[in-house]
């Protein structure tokens, strides 16, 4: 299982998602929505009208936020 977490630095739920990945030995990538290199992700958030982080994908499938991800993992 490979996880992609799109979040922001100061987001508590984003940190919890990364911590959950580490504690369950899941491979993950973290993409900071505010990093200049991720402008395309910010545009995607705007187009899709996504207002919250984290947005989490497992094996390329959108899971949702932290609570959905925790249920998926457990």
């Amino acid at each position: 299982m490979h996880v992609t977490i799109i979040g922001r630095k100061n987001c508590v739920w984003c940190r919890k998602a990364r911590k959950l990945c580490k504690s369950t030995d899941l491979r993950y990538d973290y993409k900071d929505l505010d990093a200049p290199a991720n402008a395309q992700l910010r545009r995607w958030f705007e187009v899709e009208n996504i207002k919250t982080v984290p947005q989490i994908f497992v094996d390329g499938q959108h899971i949702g936020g932290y609570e959905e991800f925790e249920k998926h993992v457990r």
Side-chain angles (χ1 to χ4, degrees), residues 5 11 15 18 25 27 30 32 39 44 52 55 59 65 70 72:
I5 302 168
C11 170
R15 282 193 297 271
R18 292 191 309 258
D25 292 322
R27 291 182 308 127
Y30 177 74
D32 182 356
W44 176 69
T52 61
Q55 292 298 314
D59 294 331
E70 182 180 36
H72 185 83

Side-chain angles (χ1 to χ4, degrees), residues 30-49:
Y30 177 74
K31 299 186 184 292
D32 182 356
L33 196 56
D34 296 321
N38 292 325
Q40 185 175 6
L41 283 175
R42 285 191 302 279
R43 283 192 295 277
W44 176 69
F45 267 60
E46 291 171 9
V47 168
E48 295 295 326
N49 199 29

Side-chain angles (χ1 to χ4, degrees), residues 4-5 10-11 19-21 23-25 31 37 39 48 50 54 56 58 60-61 63-66 69 71 74:
T4 300
I5 302 168
N10 296 327
C11 170
K19 186 176 179 180
L20 180 59
C21 285
S23 70
T24 54
D25 292 322
K31 299 186 184 292
E48 295 295 326
I50 300 170
I56 302 172
V58 174
Q61 179 182 0
I63 299 298
Y66 176 78
F69 177 55
K71 288 176 189 172
R74 307 249 185 236

